Amino acid sequence: MPPILKKHFHKKQFGDVLGYNSGIGLIGPPLMTAWCYLIDGVLIDSGIRHLRSAILEAVREDKPDAMLITHHHEDHSGNVGAIRNALGIPAFAHPLTVDKMRAPFKIRPYQHLMWGQTEPVALAVHASVHEFGKSRFRPIHTPGHSQDHTVYLEENRGYLFSGDLFLGERIKFFRADETMGDQLASLKSVLRLDFDVLFCAHRPLMQNGKQALRNKLDFLENFCGTIQGLKDQGMSLKAVVRHLDRHEDRLVKWLTLKNACFANMVRSAYTMEQRAI
Ligand SMILES: [Fe+2]
Protein backbone atom coordinates (compact mmCIF):
# COMPACT_ATOMS: atom_id res chain seq x y z
CA MET A 1 0.00 0.00 0.00
CA PRO A 2 1.48 3.46 -0.93
CA PRO A 3 2.74 5.22 2.25
CA ILE A 4 0.76 8.42 1.51
CA LEU A 5 -2.48 6.53 2.11
CA LYS A 6 -3.92 6.49 5.60
CA LYS A 7 -5.61 3.48 7.19
CA HIS A 8 -9.01 3.84 8.87
CA PHE A 9 -10.56 1.29 11.19
CA HIS A 10 -13.26 1.53 13.82
CA LYS A 11 -15.77 -0.65 15.61
CA LYS A 12 -19.40 0.29 16.08
CA GLN A 13 -22.20 -1.46 17.95
CA PHE A 14 -25.54 -1.78 16.11
CA GLY A 15 -27.74 -3.23 18.88
CA ASP A 16 -26.61 -6.85 19.23
CA VAL A 17 -24.41 -6.67 16.13
CA LEU A 18 -20.82 -5.42 16.27
CA GLY A 19 -19.52 -3.82 13.07
CA TYR A 20 -15.90 -3.46 11.94
CA ASN A 21 -15.38 -0.68 9.42
CA SER A 22 -12.21 -0.58 7.32
CA GLY A 23 -10.95 1.59 4.49
CA ILE A 24 -8.10 3.78 3.27
CA GLY A 25 -7.92 7.44 2.23
CA LEU A 26 -5.61 10.34 1.41
CA ILE A 27 -6.67 13.21 3.65
CA GLY A 28 -9.90 13.32 5.64
CA PRO A 29 -12.45 10.50 5.42
CA PRO A 30 -11.59 7.28 3.55
CA LEU A 31 -12.47 6.94 -0.15
CA MET A 32 -14.70 3.96 0.53
CA THR A 33 -15.11 1.72 3.55
CA ALA A 34 -16.36 -1.83 3.99
CA TRP A 35 -18.20 -3.23 7.00
CA CYS A 36 -18.04 -6.74 8.37
CA TYR A 37 -20.40 -7.76 11.14
CA LEU A 38 -20.14 -9.99 14.20
CA ILE A 39 -23.23 -11.51 15.78
CA ASP A 40 -23.57 -14.59 18.03
CA GLY A 41 -19.96 -15.56 17.31
CA VAL A 42 -20.36 -15.37 13.52
CA LEU A 43 -18.31 -12.90 11.49
CA ILE A 44 -19.93 -11.99 8.18
CA ASP A 45 -17.22 -10.96 5.69
CA SER A 46 -13.65 -10.21 6.67
CA GLY A 47 -12.63 -6.62 5.80
CA ILE A 48 -9.91 -5.34 3.49
CA ARG A 49 -6.40 -6.74 3.42
CA HIS A 50 -4.75 -3.33 3.87
CA LEU A 51 -6.31 -3.23 7.36
CA ARG A 52 -5.29 -6.76 8.28
CA SER A 53 -3.41 -5.99 11.48
CA ALA A 54 -6.34 -3.97 12.91
CA ILE A 55 -8.83 -6.64 11.93
CA LEU A 56 -6.74 -9.46 13.38
CA GLU A 57 -6.41 -7.51 16.63
CA ALA A 58 -10.20 -7.04 16.71
CA VAL A 59 -11.01 -10.70 16.10
CA ARG A 60 -8.44 -11.83 18.69
CA GLU A 61 -10.36 -9.69 21.16
CA ASP A 62 -13.90 -10.59 20.02
CA LYS A 63 -13.21 -14.27 19.22
CA PRO A 64 -15.69 -15.29 16.49
CA ASP A 65 -16.40 -19.03 16.15
CA ALA A 66 -17.07 -19.05 12.39
CA MET A 67 -17.20 -16.86 9.29
CA LEU A 68 -19.72 -16.47 6.48
CA ILE A 69 -18.51 -14.79 3.27
CA THR A 70 -20.91 -12.97 0.91
CA HIS A 71 -18.71 -12.99 -2.22
CA HIS A 72 -15.12 -13.09 -3.43
CA HIS A 73 -14.51 -9.33 -3.89
CA GLU A 74 -11.45 -8.10 -1.98
CA ASP A 75 -13.34 -5.77 0.37
CA HIS A 76 -15.29 -8.79 1.68
CA SER A 77 -12.85 -11.67 1.47
CA GLY A 78 -9.60 -9.81 2.22
CA ASN A 79 -8.76 -11.44 5.54
CA VAL A 80 -10.73 -14.67 5.56
CA GLY A 81 -7.63 -16.88 5.25
CA ALA A 82 -5.65 -14.85 7.78
CA ILE A 83 -8.48 -14.95 10.36
CA ARG A 84 -9.02 -18.66 9.80
CA ASN A 85 -5.30 -19.31 10.32
CA ALA A 86 -5.08 -17.04 13.37
CA LEU A 87 -8.13 -18.40 15.19
CA GLY A 88 -8.56 -21.85 13.63
CA ILE A 89 -12.23 -21.22 12.84
CA PRO A 90 -14.20 -22.42 9.79
CA ALA A 91 -15.28 -20.12 6.94
CA PHE A 92 -18.34 -20.91 4.81
CA ALA A 93 -19.42 -19.56 1.42
CA HIS A 94 -21.40 -20.35 -1.74
CA PRO A 95 -19.85 -23.09 -3.96
CA LEU A 96 -18.98 -20.45 -6.62
CA THR A 97 -17.09 -18.40 -4.00
CA VAL A 98 -15.33 -21.55 -2.80
CA ASP A 99 -14.24 -22.32 -6.39
CA LYS A 100 -13.18 -18.75 -7.12
CA MET A 101 -11.06 -18.45 -3.99
CA ARG A 102 -9.33 -21.78 -4.29
CA ALA A 103 -6.68 -20.33 -6.65
CA PRO A 104 -5.16 -16.86 -7.13
CA PHE A 105 -7.14 -14.54 -9.43
CA LYS A 106 -6.09 -11.31 -11.08
CA ILE A 107 -7.33 -7.97 -9.82
CA ARG A 108 -7.02 -4.48 -11.33
CA PRO A 109 -4.64 -1.71 -10.16
CA TYR A 110 -7.42 0.21 -8.38
CA GLN A 111 -8.33 -2.92 -6.43
CA HIS A 112 -4.71 -3.34 -5.34
CA LEU A 113 -4.67 0.32 -4.29
CA MET A 114 -8.02 0.42 -2.46
CA TRP A 115 -8.17 -3.00 -0.83
CA GLY A 116 -5.21 -5.28 -1.58
CA GLN A 117 -5.21 -8.79 -2.96
CA THR A 118 -6.88 -11.71 -1.19
CA GLU A 119 -4.77 -14.86 -0.98
CA PRO A 120 -6.20 -18.21 -2.14
CA VAL A 121 -8.01 -20.01 0.65
CA ALA A 122 -9.88 -23.29 1.05
CA LEU A 123 -13.39 -22.33 2.18
CA ALA A 124 -16.17 -24.76 3.11
CA VAL A 125 -19.49 -24.80 1.23
CA HIS A 126 -22.24 -23.38 3.42
CA ALA A 127 -25.10 -25.51 4.73
CA SER A 128 -28.76 -24.69 4.00
CA VAL A 129 -28.95 -23.13 7.50
CA HIS A 130 -26.22 -22.32 10.05
CA GLU A 131 -27.34 -22.14 13.69
CA PHE A 132 -25.15 -20.29 16.21
CA GLY A 133 -26.45 -19.25 19.64
CA LYS A 134 -29.76 -17.44 19.14
CA SER A 135 -29.15 -17.03 15.39
CA ARG A 136 -30.25 -18.98 12.32
CA PHE A 137 -28.42 -17.84 9.18
CA ARG A 138 -29.96 -18.86 5.88
CA PRO A 139 -27.75 -18.29 2.81
CA ILE A 140 -29.56 -17.05 -0.29
CA HIS A 141 -27.74 -16.98 -3.62
CA THR A 142 -28.25 -13.51 -5.15
CA PRO A 143 -26.20 -13.25 -8.38
CA GLY A 144 -25.93 -10.02 -10.35
CA HIS A 145 -23.35 -7.89 -8.52
CA SER A 146 -21.09 -10.96 -8.93
CA GLN A 147 -22.13 -14.43 -9.97
CA ASP A 148 -21.23 -15.89 -6.56
CA HIS A 149 -22.97 -13.19 -4.51
CA THR A 150 -24.86 -14.54 -1.48
CA VAL A 151 -26.81 -12.81 1.28
CA TYR A 152 -27.44 -14.22 4.77
CA LEU A 153 -30.84 -13.88 6.43
CA GLU A 154 -30.77 -14.11 10.23
CA GLU A 155 -34.25 -15.54 10.54
CA ASN A 156 -34.87 -15.09 14.27
CA ARG A 157 -34.39 -11.31 14.27
CA GLY A 158 -35.17 -10.39 10.66
CA TYR A 159 -31.68 -9.12 9.81
CA LEU A 160 -30.43 -9.33 6.25
CA PHE A 161 -26.64 -9.34 5.83
CA SER A 162 -26.77 -8.16 2.27
CA GLY A 163 -23.14 -7.88 1.11
CA ASP A 164 -23.27 -5.66 -1.99
CA LEU A 165 -26.87 -6.37 -3.01
CA PHE A 166 -28.03 -2.91 -1.88
CA LEU A 167 -25.23 -0.27 -1.89
CA GLY A 168 -27.76 2.52 -2.46
CA GLU A 169 -31.21 3.16 -3.90
CA ARG A 170 -30.02 5.06 -6.98
CA ILE A 171 -27.01 3.26 -8.39
CA LYS A 172 -24.85 5.34 -10.74
CA PHE A 173 -22.52 2.70 -12.21
CA PHE A 174 -21.90 -1.02 -12.68
CA ARG A 175 -18.68 -2.99 -12.70
CA ALA A 176 -18.01 -4.63 -16.08
CA ASP A 177 -19.07 -8.07 -14.81
CA GLU A 178 -22.38 -7.02 -13.20
CA THR A 179 -25.58 -8.23 -14.84
CA MET A 180 -28.83 -6.28 -14.67
CA GLY A 181 -31.23 -9.19 -15.28
CA ASP A 182 -29.72 -11.23 -12.46
CA GLN A 183 -29.76 -8.22 -10.10
CA LEU A 184 -33.48 -7.64 -10.73
CA ALA A 185 -34.25 -11.32 -10.11
CA SER A 186 -32.13 -11.36 -6.93
CA LEU A 187 -33.80 -8.24 -5.54
CA LYS A 188 -37.24 -9.71 -6.24
CA SER A 189 -36.38 -13.00 -4.51
CA VAL A 190 -34.97 -11.23 -1.43
CA LEU A 191 -38.03 -8.95 -1.17
CA ARG A 192 -40.13 -12.08 -0.53
CA LEU A 193 -38.18 -12.68 2.72
CA ASP A 194 -39.10 -11.46 6.19
CA PHE A 195 -36.66 -8.75 7.40
CA ASP A 196 -36.42 -5.05 8.08
CA VAL A 197 -32.81 -4.40 9.15
CA LEU A 198 -30.29 -4.30 6.32
CA PHE A 199 -26.64 -4.90 7.16
CA CYS A 200 -25.29 -3.65 3.84
CA ALA A 201 -21.47 -3.98 3.64
CA HIS A 202 -21.15 -0.29 2.78
CA ARG A 203 -24.27 1.34 4.21
CA PRO A 204 -26.07 -0.34 7.12
CA LEU A 205 -29.75 0.61 7.57
CA MET A 206 -31.22 -0.08 10.99
CA GLN A 207 -34.79 0.47 9.83
CA ASN A 208 -36.81 0.35 6.61
CA GLY A 209 -34.15 -1.82 4.99
CA LYS A 210 -36.68 -3.78 3.00
CA GLN A 211 -38.28 -0.58 1.70
CA ALA A 212 -34.84 0.68 0.64
CA LEU A 213 -34.27 -2.52 -1.36
CA ARG A 214 -37.75 -2.13 -2.90
CA ASN A 215 -36.85 1.45 -3.88
CA LYS A 216 -33.68 0.18 -5.51
CA LEU A 217 -35.66 -2.40 -7.49
CA ASP A 218 -38.12 0.31 -8.62
CA PHE A 219 -35.26 2.56 -9.66
CA LEU A 220 -33.55 -0.19 -11.69
CA GLU A 221 -36.81 -1.28 -13.32
CA ASN A 222 -37.58 2.30 -14.35
CA PHE A 223 -34.02 2.68 -15.63
CA CYS A 224 -34.33 -0.50 -17.71
CA GLY A 225 -37.73 0.62 -19.03
CA THR A 226 -36.19 3.91 -20.21
CA ILE A 227 -33.28 2.11 -21.90
CA GLN A 228 -35.50 -0.44 -23.62
CA GLY A 229 -37.81 2.39 -24.80
CA LEU A 230 -34.89 4.21 -26.42
CA LYS A 231 -33.67 0.95 -27.95
CA ASP A 232 -37.14 0.33 -29.42
CA GLN A 233 -36.95 3.77 -31.03
CA GLY A 234 -33.83 2.55 -32.86
CA MET A 235 -31.22 4.31 -30.74
CA SER A 236 -27.81 2.58 -30.62
CA LEU A 237 -26.17 1.62 -27.33
CA LYS A 238 -23.58 4.36 -27.77
CA ALA A 239 -26.28 6.95 -28.44
CA VAL A 240 -28.25 5.87 -25.35
CA VAL A 241 -25.17 6.25 -23.13
CA ARG A 242 -24.54 9.73 -24.56
CA HIS A 243 -28.20 10.70 -24.22
CA LEU A 244 -28.54 9.68 -20.54
CA ASP A 245 -25.06 10.25 -19.17
CA ARG A 246 -24.93 12.84 -16.35
CA HIS A 247 -21.19 12.17 -15.84
CA GLU A 248 -21.82 11.36 -12.17
CA ASP A 249 -19.47 8.40 -12.48
CA ARG A 250 -16.48 10.53 -13.54
CA LEU A 251 -14.23 9.94 -10.51
CA VAL A 252 -15.03 6.22 -10.26
CA LYS A 253 -14.64 5.74 -14.02
CA TRP A 254 -11.25 7.43 -13.94
CA LEU A 255 -10.05 5.61 -10.83
CA THR A 256 -11.12 2.17 -12.09
CA LEU A 257 -10.00 2.74 -15.71
CA LYS A 258 -13.63 2.23 -16.82
CA ASN A 259 -14.14 -1.06 -14.96
CA ALA A 260 -16.92 0.66 -12.98
CA CYS A 261 -18.93 3.18 -14.99
CA PHE A 262 -22.38 4.31 -16.08
CA ALA A 263 -21.88 2.88 -19.60
CA ASN A 264 -21.63 -0.65 -18.13
CA MET A 265 -24.97 -0.16 -16.42
CA VAL A 266 -26.61 1.02 -19.66
CA ARG A 267 -25.07 -1.84 -21.67
CA SER A 268 -26.35 -4.42 -19.22
CA ALA A 269 -29.89 -2.97 -19.38
CA TYR A 270 -29.70 -2.54 -23.19
CA THR A 271 -28.66 -6.15 -23.86
CA MET A 272 -31.02 -7.66 -21.27
CA GLU A 273 -34.00 -9.77 -22.35
CA GLN A 274 -37.07 -7.54 -21.99
CA ARG A 275 -39.00 -10.17 -20.05
CA ALA A 276 -36.50 -9.71 -17.16
CA ILE A 277 -38.04 -6.29 -16.35
FE1 LIG B 1 -18.62 -6.46 -4.25
Side-chain angles (χ1 to χ4, degrees):
M1 189 181 112
I4 56 161
L5 293 173
K6 205 174 146 215
K7 297 179 182 185
H8 297 259
F9 177 82
H10 73 276
K11 290 185 186 184
K12 184 175 176 184
Q13 199 72 43
F14 301 93
D16 48 6
V17 176
L18 177 62
Y20 299 161
N21 191 232
S22 58
I24 56 150
L26 277 167
I27 312 160
L31 299 168
M32 185 184 183
T33 65
W35 287 96
C36 37
Y37 299 106
L38 179 61
I39 170 173
D40 261 344
V42 178
L43 185 68
I44 295 134
D45 285 338
S46 62
I48 69 173
R49 181 175 177 171
H50 288 330
L51 268 292
R52 179 165 294 174
S53 54
I55 286 172
L56 283 178
E57 196 182 318
V59 293
R60 284 192 177 109
E61 191 180 313
D62 299 320
K63 300 183 175 52
D65 301 310
M67 286 181 279
L68 299 173
I69 302 298
T70 59
H71 61 305
H72 70 280
H73 289 167
E74 307 72 47
D75 45 336
H76 302 260
S77 66
N79 298 300
V80 59
I83 296 172
R84 201 195 55 177
N85 294 342
L87 303 186
I89 61 174
F92 301 96
H94 187 273
L96 289 174
T97 313
V98 175
D99 276 355
K100 181 78 179 178
M101 296 195 60
R102 194 169 281 146
F105 55 90
K106 264 185 110 163
I107 59 172
R108 293 175 163 79
Y110 83 91
Q111 294 167 303
H112 280 286
L113 181 74
M114 297 272 293
W115 302 304
Q117 183 140 35
T118 302
E119 306 92 339
V121 56
L123 302 174
V125 172
H126 56 55
S128 56
V129 173
H130 286 270
E131 295 199 48
F132 290 93
K134 294 180 197 152
S135 299
R136 275 174 65 84
F137 298 95
R138 184 174 296 280
I140 298 133
H141 185 213
T142 48
H145 172 73
S146 64
Q147 284 315 296
D148 63 331
H149 194 278
T150 298
V151 300
Y152 295 93
L153 175 67
E154 199 294 286
E155 295 181 323
N156 292 335
R157 299 172 179 85
Y159 295 168
L160 189 74
F161 294 90
S162 60
D164 285 347
L165 179 68
F166 175 58
L167 301 176
E169 292 182 12
R170 301 172 68 83
I171 297 299
K172 297 188 177 83
F173 52 85
F174 266 23
R175 287 166 56 122
D177 56 352
E178 291 192 69
T179 52
M180 183 68 81
D182 288 336
Q183 286 210 28
L184 295 180
S186 291
L187 285 165
K188 283 176 191 167
S189 74
V190 163
L191 284 169
R192 288 193 281 272
L193 305 172
D194 190 14
F195 69 94
D196 190 51
V197 180
L198 191 66
F199 285 100
C200 171
H202 299 283
R203 201 170 152 224
L205 296 177
M206 290 305 100
Q207 51 190 2
N208 301 326
K210 193 170 189 175
Q211 185 58 47
L213 271 184
R214 199 173 283 124
N215 294 345
K216 178 175 182 179
L217 176 61
D218 288 347
F219 171 73
L220 289 180
E221 285 184 325
N222 287 334
F223 179 80
C224 292
T226 302
I227 305 282
Q228 292 287 341
L230 293 170
K231 184 180 176 183
D232 291 345
Q233 289 169 32
M235 214 182 249
S236 71
L237 171 59
K238 220 172 168 182
V240 174
V241 173
R242 232 176 322 168
H243 181 68
L244 295 177
D245 198 354
R246 308 275 182 270
H247 304 288
E248 291 170 307
D249 63 343
R250 201 171 283 158
L251 176 64
V252 170
K253 187 170 143 185
W254 170 79
L255 193 66
T256 66
L257 304 176
K258 294 188 182 173
N259 182 47
C261 61
F262 177 72
N264 286 339
M265 190 167 154
V266 175
R267 181 172 33 76
S268 194
Y270 191 94
T271 54
M272 182 179 68
E273 296 280 332
Q274 262 189 328
R275 61 187 158 75
I277 305 177

PDB file of all heavy atoms in Angstrom, residues 71 73 75-76 145-146 149 164 175 202, ligand 1:
ATOM      1  N   HIS A  71     -19.220 -12.793  -0.860  1.00  0.00           N
ATOM      2  CA  HIS A  71     -18.711 -12.995  -2.224  1.00  0.00           C
ATOM      3  C   HIS A  71     -17.204 -12.764  -2.236  1.00  0.00           C
ATOM      4  O   HIS A  71     -16.624 -12.345  -1.233  1.00  0.00           O
ATOM      5  CB  HIS A  71     -19.447 -12.129  -3.251  1.00  0.00           C
ATOM      6  CG  HIS A  71     -19.367 -10.641  -3.064  1.00  0.00           C
ATOM      7  ND1 HIS A  71     -19.724  -9.986  -1.921  1.00  0.00           N
ATOM      8  CD2 HIS A  71     -18.954  -9.662  -3.925  1.00  0.00           C
ATOM      9  CE1 HIS A  71     -19.557  -8.685  -2.073  1.00  0.00           C
ATOM     10  NE2 HIS A  71     -19.079  -8.457  -3.277  1.00  0.00           N
ATOM     11  N   HIS A  73     -15.174 -10.629  -3.727  1.00  0.00           N
ATOM     12  CA  HIS A  73     -14.515  -9.327  -3.891  1.00  0.00           C
ATOM     13  C   HIS A  73     -13.641  -9.005  -2.672  1.00  0.00           C
ATOM     14  O   HIS A  73     -13.998  -9.319  -1.536  1.00  0.00           O
ATOM     15  CB  HIS A  73     -15.558  -8.218  -4.095  1.00  0.00           C
ATOM     16  CG  HIS A  73     -16.236  -8.297  -5.441  1.00  0.00           C
ATOM     17  ND1 HIS A  73     -17.372  -7.590  -5.743  1.00  0.00           N
ATOM     18  CD2 HIS A  73     -15.919  -8.997  -6.563  1.00  0.00           C
ATOM     19  CE1 HIS A  73     -17.724  -7.850  -6.995  1.00  0.00           C
ATOM     20  NE2 HIS A  73     -16.863  -8.701  -7.513  1.00  0.00           N
ATOM     21  N   ASP A  75     -12.917  -6.511  -0.825  1.00  0.00           N
ATOM     22  CA  ASP A  75     -13.342  -5.769   0.368  1.00  0.00           C
ATOM     23  C   ASP A  75     -14.236  -6.634   1.276  1.00  0.00           C
ATOM     24  O   ASP A  75     -14.669  -6.177   2.334  1.00  0.00           O
ATOM     25  CB  ASP A  75     -14.036  -4.443  -0.007  1.00  0.00           C
ATOM     26  CG  ASP A  75     -15.046  -4.572  -1.121  1.00  0.00           C
ATOM     27  OD1 ASP A  75     -14.944  -5.512  -1.915  1.00  0.00           O
ATOM     28  OD2 ASP A  75     -15.944  -3.706  -1.206  1.00  0.00           O
ATOM     29  N   HIS A  76     -14.481  -7.867   0.876  1.00  0.00           N
ATOM     30  CA  HIS A  76     -15.293  -8.792   1.682  1.00  0.00           C
ATOM     31  C   HIS A  76     -14.482 -10.018   2.118  1.00  0.00           C
ATOM     32  O   HIS A  76     -14.691 -10.559   3.194  1.00  0.00           O
ATOM     33  CB  HIS A  76     -16.520  -9.248   0.877  1.00  0.00           C
ATOM     34  CG  HIS A  76     -17.355  -8.095   0.436  1.00  0.00           C
ATOM     35  ND1 HIS A  76     -18.508  -7.708   1.077  1.00  0.00           N
ATOM     36  CD2 HIS A  76     -17.161  -7.181  -0.553  1.00  0.00           C
ATOM     37  CE1 HIS A  76     -18.994  -6.621   0.493  1.00  0.00           C
ATOM     38  NE2 HIS A  76     -18.200  -6.284  -0.501  1.00  0.00           N
ATOM     39  N   HIS A 145     -24.531  -8.714  -8.849  1.00  0.00           N
ATOM     40  CA  HIS A 145     -23.351  -7.894  -8.522  1.00  0.00           C
ATOM     41  C   HIS A 145     -22.095  -8.707  -8.853  1.00  0.00           C
ATOM     42  O   HIS A 145     -21.149  -8.199  -9.453  1.00  0.00           O
ATOM     43  CB  HIS A 145     -23.400  -7.518  -7.041  1.00  0.00           C
ATOM     44  CG  HIS A 145     -22.152  -6.846  -6.570  1.00  0.00           C
ATOM     45  ND1 HIS A 145     -21.825  -5.556  -6.904  1.00  0.00           N
ATOM     46  CD2 HIS A 145     -21.128  -7.314  -5.805  1.00  0.00           C
ATOM     47  CE1 HIS A 145     -20.660  -5.251  -6.370  1.00  0.00           C
ATOM     48  NE2 HIS A 145     -20.212  -6.302  -5.698  1.00  0.00           N
ATOM     49  N   SER A 146     -22.084  -9.972  -8.468  1.00  0.00           N
ATOM     50  CA  SER A 146     -21.093 -10.959  -8.933  1.00  0.00           C
ATOM     51  C   SER A 146     -21.862 -12.270  -9.007  1.00  0.00           C
ATOM     52  O   SER A 146     -22.905 -12.413  -8.356  1.00  0.00           O
ATOM     53  CB  SER A 146     -19.912 -11.057  -7.958  1.00  0.00           C
ATOM     54  OG  SER A 146     -20.360 -11.547  -6.712  1.00  0.00           O
ATOM     55  N   HIS A 149     -22.471 -14.007  -5.620  1.00  0.00           N
ATOM     56  CA  HIS A 149     -22.967 -13.187  -4.508  1.00  0.00           C
ATOM     57  C   HIS A 149     -24.074 -13.896  -3.705  1.00  0.00           C
ATOM     58  O   HIS A 149     -25.023 -14.439  -4.265  1.00  0.00           O
ATOM     59  CB  HIS A 149     -23.505 -11.849  -5.036  1.00  0.00           C
ATOM     60  CG  HIS A 149     -23.705 -10.844  -3.952  1.00  0.00           C
ATOM     61  ND1 HIS A 149     -24.822 -10.829  -3.151  1.00  0.00           N
ATOM     62  CD2 HIS A 149     -22.910  -9.863  -3.486  1.00  0.00           C
ATOM     63  CE1 HIS A 149     -24.704  -9.849  -2.269  1.00  0.00           C
ATOM     64  NE2 HIS A 149     -23.552  -9.251  -2.452  1.00  0.00           N
ATOM     65  N   ASP A 164     -23.155  -6.793  -1.065  1.00  0.00           N
ATOM     66  CA  ASP A 164     -23.268  -5.657  -1.986  1.00  0.00           C
ATOM     67  C   ASP A 164     -24.563  -5.686  -2.794  1.00  0.00           C
ATOM     68  O   ASP A 164     -24.636  -5.092  -3.874  1.00  0.00           O
ATOM     69  CB  ASP A 164     -22.068  -5.645  -2.949  1.00  0.00           C
ATOM     70  CG  ASP A 164     -20.799  -5.160  -2.268  1.00  0.00           C
ATOM     71  OD1 ASP A 164     -20.883  -4.615  -1.143  1.00  0.00           O
ATOM     72  OD2 ASP A 164     -19.719  -5.322  -2.857  1.00  0.00           O
ATOM     73  N   ARG A 175     -19.952  -2.388 -12.285  1.00  0.00           N
ATOM     74  CA  ARG A 175     -18.683  -2.992 -12.702  1.00  0.00           C
ATOM     75  C   ARG A 175     -18.942  -3.718 -14.022  1.00  0.00           C
ATOM     76  O   ARG A 175     -20.084  -4.050 -14.348  1.00  0.00           O
ATOM     77  CB  ARG A 175     -18.227  -4.017 -11.661  1.00  0.00           C
ATOM     78  CG  ARG A 175     -17.712  -3.416 -10.367  1.00  0.00           C
ATOM     79  CD  ARG A 175     -17.618  -4.465  -9.282  1.00  0.00           C
ATOM     80  NE  ARG A 175     -16.800  -5.594  -9.681  1.00  0.00           N
ATOM     81  CZ  ARG A 175     -15.711  -6.005  -9.022  1.00  0.00           C
ATOM     82  NH1 ARG A 175     -15.315  -5.373  -7.935  1.00  0.00           N
ATOM     83  NH2 ARG A 175     -15.035  -7.052  -9.424  1.00  0.00           N
ATOM     84  N   HIS A 202     -21.660  -1.652   2.932  1.00  0.00           N
ATOM     85  CA  HIS A 202     -21.148  -0.290   2.779  1.00  0.00           C
ATOM     86  C   HIS A 202     -22.069   0.766   3.393  1.00  0.00           C
ATOM     87  O   HIS A 202     -21.660   1.913   3.557  1.00  0.00           O
ATOM     88  CB  HIS A 202     -20.906   0.016   1.294  1.00  0.00           C
ATOM     89  CG  HIS A 202     -19.898  -0.909   0.678  1.00  0.00           C
ATOM     90  ND1 HIS A 202     -18.540  -0.778   0.877  1.00  0.00           N
ATOM     91  CD2 HIS A 202     -20.055  -2.032  -0.071  1.00  0.00           C
ATOM     92  CE1 HIS A 202     -17.905  -1.753   0.248  1.00  0.00           C
ATOM     93  NE2 HIS A 202     -18.803  -2.534  -0.321  1.00  0.00           N
TER      94      HIS A 202
HETATM   95 FE    FE B   1     -18.620  -6.456  -4.249  1.00  0.00          FE
END
